[in-house]
Amino acid sequence: MKKSDSTGAPSASDLIDGKIAELGDWRGASLSRMRQLIREADPEVVEEWKWMGTPVWSHAGVICTGESYKDKVKLTFLKGAALDDPARLFNASLDGNTRRAIDIHEGAQVDAGAFKALVRAAVVLNATVAKAKSRA
């Protein structure tokens, strides 16, 4: 991961590190764990810092965002409705036509293998969409 740009400004990875440290409780630990699983699932993932301080993971398009709230950490997959979720990890934003989310509450553990499969499926979907757009 790139640590800073040529201007010396913090990189997105640095900002995400700071967010995790700032949380300092179970939410920071949860966000850190999910970040590590994303990196394991896709070593080429790009970390971004968007929308007024939201961690974003991308590869050929946004895979998911990582938001923290008082009572949960929310991972929103922007194209989640198009992904198979046999382990039923998606437990929020289920009514929309596009997004799906995983809300993680204190003490909850997300199945690592199932989560990494979702990340890999999102990367494949992004690449497929990007390839189709380039042909048009």
Side-chain angles (χ1 to χ4, degrees), residues 63 82-84 115-128:
I63 298 168
L83 301 175
D84 288 330
F115 181 75
K116 290 195 280 189
L118 276 179
V119 170
R120 287 189 289 267
V123 171
V124 168
L125 178 60
N126 285 349
T128 302

Side-chain angles (χ1 to χ4, degrees), residues 21 25 51 68 77 79 82-83 97 106 109 119 132:
D25 59 10
W51 307 303
S68 57
F77 284 71
K79 297 175 186 150
L83 301 175
N97 294 328
E106 187 171 8
Q109 286 292 320
V119 170

Side-chain angles (χ1 to χ4, degrees), residues 14-83:
D14 290 335
L15 293 168
I16 294 169
D17 288 342
K19 177 71 171 182
I20 289 167
E22 176 187 307
L23 289 168
D25 59 10
W26 68 269
R27 295 170 302 161
S30 181
L31 187 58
S32 179
R33 176 177 182 259
M34 302 317 290
R35 178 192 200 189
Q36 183 60 37
L37 292 175
I38 291 166
R39 289 172 162 176
E40 289 172 12
D42 180 18
E44 296 179 24
V45 72
V46 175
E47 294 189 316
E48 300 175 276
W49 188 256
K50 295 185 175 186
W51 307 303
M52 298 173 52
T54 302
V56 177
W57 291 276
S58 299
H59 186 152
V62 174
I63 298 168
C64 67
T65 64
E67 303 160 65
S68 57
Y69 299 93
K70 181 179 170 182
D71 65 337
K72 65 182 163 256
V73 170
K74 178 183 283 287
L75 295 158
T76 302
F77 284 71
L78 270 59
K79 297 175 186 150
L83 301 175

